[in-house]
Amino acid sequence: MDIFEILSPLSILLCFLGVFMGIIFGTIPGMTATMAIALFLPITYTLDMVDAIALLIGLYVGGISGGLVPAILLNIPGTPSSLCTTFDGYPMTQKGEGEKALKVGITASIIGGFFSLTVLYFFAPVLASVAIKFSSVEKFLIIVFALTVIASISKGSLLGGIFSGLIGVYLSLIGMFADNNQLRLIPPGFEEELTYGFSLLPVLIGLFAIAQIFQESEEGMKASPHQTFDFKKEKKNPFTFKIFNGQIINTIRSSMIGTFIGMLPGVGGSAASISSYSQAKNFSKHPEKLGTGEPEGLIASESANNGLIGGALIPLLSLGIPGDSTTAVLVGALLLQGIQVGPLFIPTNPDLWDGIIYALIIANIVMFFLMFFSIKYMAKIIYIPKYIIYPIIIVMCVVGSYAINNGVMFDVWTLLLFGLAGYVFMKIGIQVAPFLIGFILGQQLEKYFIDSLKGSGGDLTIFFTKGPIAWMLWVLIAVSLVYAIMDNRKSKRSGDQSITPST
Amino acid sequence: MKDLLTVKLKFSEYHTIFPKIMLTILIFLAVLMLLLNIVKRIREGTLTAFRFQFFVDNYDKLKFYGTFVLLIAYAFVLELIGFLPASILFMFLISLLFIGNVKKKSIVVSLANSLATSLVIWYLFGQLFDITLP
């Protein structure tokens, strides 16, 4: 079918606008793609169905992609799924390779986007039928697999990293357990505020943004070394597409992981980039360099990040199950248009299905060119003096936290509490990234654990006897862990030698 | 063996099973780390040598505690006096604090930044997009 029969000039324009606004939302720490879509929902009431979906898809792609800008330049993930982008992106900025890092990230993003788009288009019905067969046992093991990344990103102490991650899991359990509506772990007096636990967004930006501001204020707000770097100096080692030459397998593997994890209902976005980053580290020829500013890690995180967009749309469009919070808002948008998503969606709405595919193609291309050629101007953010940018970030974080659940003051307190906690964590040696990963995945870990036990009547052996898919996942978990332990030993040994040559 | 690998499930206690498991593992890890640390210290002969310093040397007391107090004060007054006045006041004070002096130029910069940002956020998010602001 011809693209212009489906998409009018207006829908293309709306898609463009969506990407532009999405990038802005993604770039500002504390504002997410989910929020962008939720905010533009009222506008879509008045639009035609295809126009509306074009705008929303644009926002989705732009919002997910924009997250790499603050992750790379400021070490603050703009969206939860760009968490792993900070691991290598920010060190590159510190080395004066900010622009190169951004361009690598953007290129990885569009590759991931197109990969998942192709998968969505050709394999949607087939792949969805595999994922839907996953019982809670397999889902539990998938989460455990995602958690193994904690072991591979632990800095220095492996045990300390795992400990930090499990503290995150523990804190994520605060609140009501959905199965029997019982409250647990809530400090007395906070029953009302913590019924649903701490909101993820304030925790996330508190740990990263506010904690960093505390740390900088302790050091007296001096100008960072990267602020004195000049982008023009990068002529020596500029961005070329050749960086991707040795990274083809990495890019495809990460896009695949992103797409596949995006497809699993309920596993969600951040797990995608976390898993692919850990796999990139495991398969890397020089794993010890990841985390110090290697394009490799950046490619892994960003291609998975955008890969999950197409992936998350697969269960949504073929089964009506939203894979993450963003697609959950999309279900709402489609329902407002009077469309029921489910197994019959594609056969009964062929025009809309094509419209979604075309909108995704256009959104990805627009995202790429918009970001690739304006990145120099966007990257100017880092030259703004700290005494100007930090107050702005604080107010944006407060607004974002307050608005995420439609005006809850407790979310602002959560932001400040975890800001302070993040600062204290850094001081006492609890690692923030493992903590956060535990916090993000904790509730799902519990849900699928309990669901699995319900199915087996409390028998723990169910996790080993479930079947071939579960065994395969166990193998993946074991391989991932062994790699992490060996990597940790290796880096420890080389680290020891440099400090105390006698041992 | 069978008993060891079976968890007793009771509907009214679903919510406490997983936290208990987590807490057990956490305590186990904490004890393990403590033991390993003691073993390492005995081997290196530094069992009693403690040197822990929370703040960096010569940390900026004014900026650190100032940030802390201003953030809490901001959250407190937000709902009392509304987003716009609270944000303008907060941003003005914290910019001044971060610059670190009260020269004429710093006051102008802080004032311009606080007014511009607060008004843009207020208009863009509060009015145009209808986001709930404090």
Side-chain angles (χ1 to χ4, degrees):
Chain A
M1 205 172 291
D2 189 13
I3 184 165
F4 292 108
E5 277 175 34
I6 307 282
L7 293 183
S8 63
L10 177 66
S11 31
I12 293 174
L13 189 74
L14 281 168
C15 187
F16 188 92
L17 183 80
V19 175
F20 183 72
M21 288 310 299
I23 292 174
I24 291 179
F25 269 82
T27 305
I28 300 170
M31 306 259 153
T32 60
T34 317
M35 252 182 109
I37 293 179
L39 292 174
F40 277 86
L41 267 188
I43 301 173
T44 62
Y45 297 157
T46 52
L47 293 174
D48 187 52
M49 212 163 55
V50 175
D51 292 346
I53 210 77
L55 175 68
L56 296 174
I57 294 275
L59 286 166
Y60 192 8
V61 173
I64 295 281
S65 312
L68 68 92
V69 178
I72 289 173
L73 296 180
L74 299 167
N75 203 18
I76 302 168
T79 53
S81 51
S82 48
L83 173 65
C84 294
T85 311
T86 59
F87 298 166
D88 280 290
Y90 188 61
M92 281 181 82
T93 303
Q94 285 175 316
K95 284 194 264 176
E97 300 180 331
E99 189 182 338
K100 184 172 147 191
L102 288 168
K103 287 186 171 169
V104 169
I106 297 162
T107 314
S109 291
I110 193 175
I111 298 173
F114 270 105
F115 183 90
S116 75
L117 175 64
T118 319
V119 175
L120 170 71
Y121 188 68
F122 288 106
F123 302 107
V126 187
L127 284 179
S129 68
V130 174
I132 195 66
K133 279 187 196 137
F134 275 27
S135 71
S136 42
V137 173
E138 281 89 1
K139 284 185 191 160
F140 173 77
L141 293 176
I142 286 273
I143 304 278
V144 175
F145 179 54
L147 280 173
T148 56
V149 68
I150 289 176
S152 50
I153 60 165
S154 299
K155 286 191 183 114
S157 161
L158 188 68
L159 277 179
I162 295 172
F163 186 75
S164 312
L166 292 183
I167 289 183
V169 172
Y170 194 69
L171 287 187
S172 77
L173 303 178
I174 290 175
M176 189 192 284
F177 186 52
D179 269 23
N180 58 1
N181 291 343
Q182 293 289 319
L183 302 175
R184 68 267 166 93
L185 307 177
I186 299 179
F190 287 95
E191 283 81 3
E192 200 181 325
E193 288 88 348
L194 283 172
T195 304
Y196 300 103
F198 291 109
S199 309
L200 173 61
L201 192 87
V203 171
L204 177 87
I205 51 186
L207 281 175
F208 277 89
I210 305 292
Q212 194 187 349
I213 288 168
F214 273 126
Q215 199 188 10
E216 299 254 6
S217 67
E218 178 193 352
E219 287 160 8
M221 285 286 157
K222 297 185 190 81
S224 296
H226 66 78
Q227 287 185 316
T228 52
F229 276 119
D230 195 346
F231 272 140
K232 278 174 197 145
K233 279 183 192 158
E234 288 180 23
K235 286 275 146 56
K236 274 182 246 161
N237 196 4
F239 170 82
T240 55
F241 289 102
K242 281 192 186 128
I243 294 175
F244 281 83
N245 270 353
Q247 300 294 341
I248 295 167
I249 297 174
N250 179 18
T251 315
I252 293 176
R253 184 184 57 236
S254 307
S255 306
M256 245 160 74
I257 294 176
T259 310
F260 187 69
I261 290 189
M263 222 169 65
L264 296 170
V267 175
S270 6
S273 73
I274 294 168
S275 308
S276 77
Y277 186 85
S278 104
Q279 293 321 304
K281 204 171 157 93
N282 288 345
F283 283 103
S284 172
K285 288 187 194 103
H286 38 78
E288 71 285 354
K289 276 194 186 162
L290 262 82
T292 61
E294 274 293 296
E296 200 173 345
L298 202 59
I299 291 169
S301 171
E302 275 309 313
S303 50
N305 187 346
N306 280 55
L308 72 93
I309 295 178
L313 288 174
I314 292 173
L316 179 79
L317 296 179
S318 52
L319 306 159
I321 303 170
D324 59 7
S325 56
T326 321
T327 38
V329 181
L330 271 181
V331 177
L334 287 164
L335 282 174
L336 285 171
Q337 295 279 346
I339 296 168
Q340 189 77 45
V341 277
L344 294 173
F345 173 78
I346 299 172
T348 49
N349 299 287
D351 279 9
L352 194 53
W353 166 243
D354 286 345
I356 289 173
I357 296 292
Y358 287 135
L360 272 171
I361 296 175
I362 294 173
N364 270 297
I365 295 172
V366 169
M367 178 278 294
F368 181 75
F369 284 102
L370 211 56
M371 287 182 81
F372 200 86
F373 292 109
S374 66
I375 210 73
K376 269 201 177 122
Y377 309 102
M378 286 195 185
K380 289 261 160 25
I381 303 174
I382 64 165
Y383 291 122
I384 303 170
K386 284 179 182 168
Y387 57 81
I388 293 197
I389 193 84
Y390 278 153
I392 298 177
I393 289 180
I394 297 175
V395 172
M396 293 300 296
C397 289
V398 168
V399 170
S401 306
Y402 187 81
I404 191 80
N405 291 321
N406 254 322
V408 180
M409 197 56 206
F410 186 72
D411 284 339
V412 177
W413 289 111
T414 306
L415 172 83
L416 298 185
L417 179 70
F418 276 86
L420 194 63
Y423 170 75
V424 175
F425 282 180
M426 278 188 257
K427 296 287 183 181
I428 60 174
I430 293 180
Q431 302 175 25
V432 171
F435 172 86
L436 193 64
I437 291 167
F439 187 84
I440 291 173
L441 299 176
Q443 283 186 353
Q444 294 168 16
L445 190 73
E446 177 187 28
K447 181 184 183 309
Y448 295 129
F449 181 76
I450 297 292
D451 282 353
S452 308
L453 288 190
K454 273 194 276 183
S456 74
D459 187 0
L460 285 174
T461 51
I462 183 76
F463 296 111
F464 304 99
T465 54
K466 179 73 184 151
I469 301 176
W471 296 334
M472 200 186 76
L473 288 167
W474 273 115
V475 171
L476 286 174
I477 292 167
V479 168
S480 183
L481 273 180
V482 168
Y483 264 111
I485 292 168
M486 295 206 323
D487 179 37
N488 194 273
R489 282 238 176 109
K490 219 194 295 168
S491 64
K492 221 178 209 173
R493 209 173 296 145
S494 59
D496 279 351
Q497 274 166 0
S498 60
I499 303 162
T500 46
S502 56
T503 47
Chain B
M1 192 64 190
K2 183 82 182 150
D3 285 354
L4 203 66
L5 289 171
T6 308
V7 175
K8 282 200 188 77
L9 284 176
K10 230 163 99 190
F11 181 73
S12 61
E13 283 168 8
Y14 274 178
H15 63 292
T16 58
I17 297 169
F18 199 70
K20 266 184 200 156
I21 297 176
M22 276 295 129
L23 197 62
T24 316
I25 301 177
L26 277 173
I27 292 170
F28 172 75
L29 279 177
V31 172
L32 186 68
M33 283 196 299
L34 189 72
L35 286 179
L36 285 177
N37 204 336
I38 290 173
V39 169
K40 195 177 144 206
R41 275 165 178 275
I42 290 175
R43 220 179 260 166
E44 290 170 1
T46 52
L47 189 62
T48 50
F50 280 102
R51 203 185 153 276
F52 179 75
Q53 188 185 6
F54 190 81
F55 291 109
V56 293
D57 288 331
N58 293 325
Y59 75 99
D60 200 322
K61 288 194 187 71
L62 176 71
K63 278 181 188 160
F64 180 73
Y65 292 112
T67 310
F68 188 74
V69 170
L70 275 177
L71 274 174
I72 299 210
Y74 180 44
F76 262 118
V77 299
L78 251 180
E79 284 199 315
L80 283 179
I81 61 173
F83 173 75
L84 214 46
S87 302
I88 293 174
L89 196 66
F90 167 76
M91 280 192 67
F92 175 66
L93 290 175
I94 205 155
S95 302
L96 264 190
L97 180 74
F98 286 170
I99 298 173
N101 60 49
V102 276
K103 286 183 193 139
K104 207 173 175 185
K105 194 187 154 210
S106 331
I107 295 180
V108 173
V109 169
S110 311
L111 200 63
N113 187 22
S114 69
L115 277 175
T117 312
S118 305
L119 282 171
V120 165
I121 292 178
W122 174 77
Y123 179 73
L124 206 65
F125 292 104
Q127 308 303 307
L128 221 56
F129 297 157
D130 232 1
I131 297 181
T132 328
L133 291 178

